[in-house]
Amino acid sequence: MSTPFRYTTPAPPKSATGRVAEVYRQLGDDFGIEEASTFVVLSSAPELLGPTWALMRESLIAGAGTRIDRELVAAGVSLANRCPFCVDAHTVLLHATGDHGLAESLARGETPADERHARLLDWGRATRVPGSPALVPTPFPRAEAAAHIGTALSFHFINRIVSALLTDNLLPAGAQRLRTVRSLAGRSLTRTVTRAHAPGASLALLDDPGPGPAWAAGTTVGPAYAALSTAASMGAGLLDDVDLGLVHEVVADWDGTHPPLAWDELPDRDRRPGARLALLAALAPYRITDEDVAAWLKPPFTDHCLVHLIAYGAFVAVDRIESALPLPALLETS
């Protein structure tokens, strides 16, 4: 039987214990999909799974503002990152909010008719470009800044995990391409998506994460972001100093564009497979191939290691985006 997992074999969710089981429980309660493959693929690394869920929950699900607004930001990020799985997911979730017309305009690749909705989608897209001038003024008030910024950064990470480690199909056989299926799938989630969710429920899954960055001060988004930063940095131990230096140098110079097919900075698969995977995860995860993974995923490396290496590369890109945010302007104008 085919699975959505490209390179790993996660344990069945029903066998989960401890914090992994608690993440699945919260997924069922607050996301509506207990065995969402986006999170199951991280289950071999519980120290990553918890923070990834926490950041998405505290920003997209329980953040300030409306769920429609945050879904549009997440959809804009996913479009900018060329992640069809996540674009389809946000289309379904927009159906769940009850705005079926908006959901289908996204599915058709159209600009939303509502000017503010269009601005939110474009703002999400603009976050891929570090320091983009299109980020200000913001299409949301200052009180909602942490939720929207957290949502954007959450999906810059999740998009890269999904593109690297899952297939493009949100539903079996690509059934989400059918309008009727998208609508029905969304309606099945309406009760969960439209319910109010109290902030903070996921923070018990985190180990002393710290308050987080200034843009999230005083919110539950901050500790979740801090925890994910700490967990993702663990993957650095899978690369030597030379490879780490290359990854950071290339990403530090990145301007948000998608790398060309003839990408001179991309290391050779046979000589530096780890650096190659990390750089692809950061800037073009949809270009990771079976051969790229096979060149690196050899004993003693395991699924756990692969997830950590991909997460490391993904978060290097997230950190590049986050560190370039025009915070004074964002927080003054939002």
Side-chain angles (χ1 to χ4, degrees):
M1 181 180 295
S2 63
T3 78
F5 309 110
R6 294 178 68 194
Y7 303 119
T8 63
T9 306
K14 288 182 174 53
S15 69
T17 59
R19 293 191 187 184
V20 174
E22 177 60 17
V23 170
Y24 291 153
R25 187 194 67 75
Q26 290 192 16
L27 276 167
D29 289 346
D30 295 341
F31 191 51
I33 309 171
E34 185 175 351
E35 298 182 10
S37 56
T38 310
F39 294 94
V40 175
V41 75
L42 295 173
S43 61
S44 66
E47 60 279 6
L48 274 168
L49 174 62
T52 303
W53 160 245
L55 182 56
M56 192 189 84
R57 186 200 182 274
E58 300 306 320
S59 56
L60 177 74
I61 295 174
T66 74
R67 180 67 177 266
I68 288 176
D69 287 2
R70 297 190 300 276
E71 287 293 342
L72 284 167
V73 168
V77 171
S78 301
L79 285 164
N81 288 330
R82 300 180 182 175
C83 183
F85 181 106
C86 291
V87 173
D88 289 341
H90 296 300
T91 301
V92 168
L93 289 165
L94 282 169
H95 272 294
T97 69
D99 199 331
H100 305 294
L102 178 59
E104 286 306 302
S105 72
L106 180 65
R108 293 189 297 268
E110 299 173 353
T111 299
D114 181 275
E115 182 181 354
R116 185 166 176 278
H117 287 167
R119 288 179 61 212
L120 285 158
L121 188 68
D122 286 345
W123 189 88
R125 280 195 183 104
T127 61
R128 180 176 167 94
V129 179
S132 171
L135 295 176
V136 289
T138 63
F140 46 80
R142 178 171 185 168
E144 299 172 10
H148 289 83
I149 294 170
T151 294
L153 296 174
S154 174
F155 281 93
H156 277 298
F157 183 74
I158 289 172
N159 287 170
R160 287 164 168 80
I161 296 296
V162 166
S163 293
L165 299 176
L166 300 180
T167 68
D168 286 346
N169 287 330
L170 177 68
L171 298 174
Q176 75 283 348
R177 298 186 185 97
L178 301 173
R179 175 174 181 163
T180 302
V181 173
R182 289 193 296 270
S183 178
L184 288 173
R187 291 171 195 269
S188 72
L189 299 172
T190 293
R191 181 176 297 180
T192 302
V193 169
T194 58
R195 190 176 73 239
H197 298 276
S202 67
L203 299 190
L205 299 166
L206 310 178
D207 291 322
D208 192 24
W215 52 262
T219 73
T220 57
V221 176
Y225 184 85
L228 182 56
S229 176
T230 297
S233 70
M234 293 170 63
L238 295 164
L239 299 176
D240 62 28
D241 289 344
V242 175
D243 283 349
L244 286 173
L246 174 66
V247 171
H248 281 271
E249 179 183 351
V250 173
V251 177
D253 290 338
W254 176 56
D255 62 1
T257 57
H258 289 268
L261 290 178
W263 184 8
D264 293 339
E265 294 89 351
L266 188 64
D268 180 83
R269 177 186 300 127
D270 295 324
R271 289 185 298 170
R272 303 175 74 178
R276 182 184 179 93
L277 277 176
L279 268 180
L280 284 168
L283 306 185
Y286 48 82
R287 283 171 52 183
I288 291 176
T289 67
D290 296 356
E291 293 77 14
D292 291 326
V293 174
W296 183 82
L297 190 56
K298 300 173 181 177
F301 296 137
T302 62
D303 284 3
H304 174 88
C305 300
L306 178 63
V307 167
H308 265 287
L309 181 61
I310 296 299
Y312 170 71
F315 203 85
V316 171
V318 173
D319 183 67
R320 167 81 172 103
I321 292 166
E322 192 272 343
S323 63
L325 287 172
L327 288 183
L330 275 177
L331 298 180
E332 285 173 8
T333 62
S334 59

